[in-house]
Amino acid sequence: MHILPATEPRPGEGDGQGGPAMRGYLVAIFLSAVFLYYVLHCILWGTNAYWVPPVEMKRRNKIQPCLSKPAFASLLRFHQFHPFLCAADFKKIASLYGGDKFDLPYGIRTSAEYFRLALSKLQSCDLFDESDNVPCKKCVVVGNGGVLKNKTLGEKIDSYDVIIRMNNGPVLGHEEEVGRRTTFRLFYPESVFSDPNHNDPNTTAILTAFKPLDLKWLWELLTGGKINTNGFWKKPALNLIYRPYQIRILDPFIIRMAAYELLHFPKVFPKNQKPKHPTTGIIAITLAFHICHEVHLAGFKYNFSDLKSPLHYYGNATMSLMSKNAYHNVTAEQLFLKDIIEKNFVINLTED
């Protein structure tokens, strides 16, 4: 709010006290407006934290170029795309790649303030450690599918340069099947580990934000605020096992590409249908396409012919649970996977 300064009284007007009184009145209005803004801000965020300027997180490392193109190069619009948001320039990058034209989960429109506050509490947006100069990285994306049971792929998985996992697919207790190492783990509030036994300090944890509440949740956890669990499809984690230096926020461009360019989802769904979003697994594969030269898959096969078969390599969930999911188009995803495997864009380690 811009306030014009009070003018000095003209000669002969009043007794000279009207000017100071007016200035005091305007100052009171200004202070009241500032206080009202502060109160509304605290109500919106459910916290008493003060406004925090963003840290100057900038991209310090880039994907090492390769002499040859990856097998899946024809799927990419932008090569060498940095997949994590940085506090210093996320709005500029969103504008450059069109993210300012889409709402979450496909862009930052209407949610820029949520992104800014969450990013202000993180310590880095780096892709790899500065000491990691391995070019043309060979990556494996490890799904959580029951097909991994009894495959003993752990040692093979651990041999890759980059190992990408998702959600709460555990390593602990399943090392023989899925390996021990994790480079990146994608998560959202309803799918992240709460048990600190599952934390690996060498893992980079990537928040995949589907709604503004996901960013608010991260902000509240990192500032010690009270977690409001309303608005989540199931109760989110109430503690965070990862340290701020481990956490990144995925650029919504990656999710948007998975939905519109790889799965060919419509931008507008009929009113009688729930909008479909890519699963975290397909998002993880899209991420791999942007940071790796070679991509292999494990654990992405669904057995819909037997709804009692295990959904995951852990736990007791069955395929019947996935068949009832209204938010994902599993058929479209399976066709996409079949296509990229048949074209040798990727290699499937768990193909029968």
Side-chain angles (χ1 to χ4, degrees):
M1 182 174 69
H2 181 65
I3 299 175
L4 296 173
T7 58
E8 291 293 325
R10 296 176 184 174
E13 287 185 348
D15 56 6
Q17 296 179 355
M22 178 61 73
R23 283 195 293 273
Y25 177 68
L26 292 173
V27 168
I29 292 177
F30 176 78
L31 292 176
S32 298
V34 171
F35 178 75
L36 179 60
Y37 172 81
Y38 173 78
V39 170
L40 290 173
H41 185 272
C42 290
I43 291 173
L44 173 65
W45 285 92
T47 177
N48 292 322
Y50 290 93
W51 180 84
V52 179
V55 293
E56 290 298 306
M57 292 192 309
K58 296 181 179 179
R59 295 159 175 77
R60 293 189 302 174
N61 51 12
K62 296 181 179 179
I63 302 164
Q64 295 294 319
C66 299
L67 295 177
S68 60
K69 289 184 178 181
F72 46 80
S74 60
L75 296 176
L76 304 181
R77 274 203 298 139
F78 303 109
H79 296 278
Q80 313 250 328
F81 180 83
H82 188 94
F84 305 144
L85 296 180
C86 299
D89 62 0
F90 77 94
K91 288 185 180 180
K92 177 182 176 182
I93 295 299
S95 177
L96 182 64
Y97 292 102
D100 57 341
K101 298 178 177 62
F102 295 88
D103 295 335
L104 276 170
Y106 304 132
I108 71 163
R109 188 178 66 173
T110 73
S111 298
E113 179 68 2
Y114 292 87
F115 277 105
R116 187 190 66 78
L117 283 168
L119 286 166
S120 75
K121 303 308 296 182
L122 304 185
Q123 296 176 359
S124 174
C125 61
D126 290 348
L127 183 56
F128 300 110
D129 292 336
E130 288 187 1
S131 58
D132 185 350
N133 294 316
V134 177
C136 306
K137 285 183 166 57
K138 187 175 180 180
C139 307
V140 62
V141 184
V142 184
N144 295 331
V147 68
L148 281 166
K149 281 179 173 288
N150 303 317
K151 287 289 195 299
T152 62
L153 285 172
E155 187 175 349
K156 171 75 173 176
I157 288 171
D158 280 339
S159 69
Y160 286 81
D161 299 319
V162 173
I163 303 167
I164 304 176
R165 305 184 194 271
M166 60 225 61
N167 303 326
N168 52 358
V171 168
L172 192 65
H174 300 272
E175 293 85 353
E176 188 175 353
E177 295 170 322
V178 299
R180 300 173 183 273
R181 296 176 47 238
T182 303
T183 313
F184 299 115
R185 183 180 289 274
L186 281 69
F187 72 93
Y188 51 91
E190 297 94 336
S191 75
V192 67
F193 287 123
S194 294
D195 184 350
N197 288 325
H198 289 289
N199 183 25
D200 173 2
N202 296 315
T203 293
T204 296
I206 307 168
L207 174 64
T208 308
F210 288 96
K211 52 190 179 298
L213 276 178
D214 296 347
L215 297 163
K216 183 175 183 288
W217 165 87
L218 179 62
W219 159 263
E220 288 174 340
L221 283 176
L222 293 174
T223 57
K226 183 179 179 181
I227 306 299
N228 186 343
T229 59
N230 294 329
F232 295 93
W233 64 269
K234 78 173 190 177
K235 187 177 180 180
L238 300 181
N239 61 288
L240 199 60
I241 68 172
Y242 302 108
R243 308 291 293 175
Y245 78 87
Q246 293 179 266
I247 301 172
R248 307 288 187 272
I249 297 178
L250 188 69
D251 192 314
F253 170 80
I254 298 292
I255 310 174
R256 187 165 77 249
M257 180 179 176
Y260 296 150
E261 299 185 32
L262 300 186
L263 298 178
H264 304 293
F265 285 174
K267 292 184 178 174
V268 178
F269 282 85
K271 291 183 178 180
N272 61 344
Q273 288 185 26
K274 292 186 186 231
K276 304 292 192 297
H277 299 306
T279 60
T280 317
I282 298 298
I283 296 169
I285 293 172
T286 309
L287 168 64
F289 285 161
H290 287 84
I291 64 176
C292 306
H293 188 259
E294 187 175 341
V295 174
H296 293 189
L297 308 179
F300 276 88
K301 185 176 181 180
Y302 291 132
N303 181 14
F304 285 110
S305 62
D306 181 6
L307 295 182
K308 292 183 180 180
S309 63
L311 177 60
H312 300 135
Y313 65 85
Y314 58 92
N316 299 314
T318 63
M319 281 304 308
S320 60
L321 186 64
M322 179 58 80
S323 66
K324 298 174 184 177
N325 195 309
Y327 293 97
H328 301 305
N329 187 335
V330 180
T331 301
E333 295 201 0
Q334 290 294 293
L335 289 173
F336 166 71
L337 290 169
K338 183 174 182 289
D339 183 57
I340 61 175
I341 291 169
E342 289 180 349
K343 290 178 177 176
N344 293 318
F345 289 171
V346 300
I347 292 176
N348 183 14
L349 302 180
T350 46
E351 189 169 27
D352 292 333

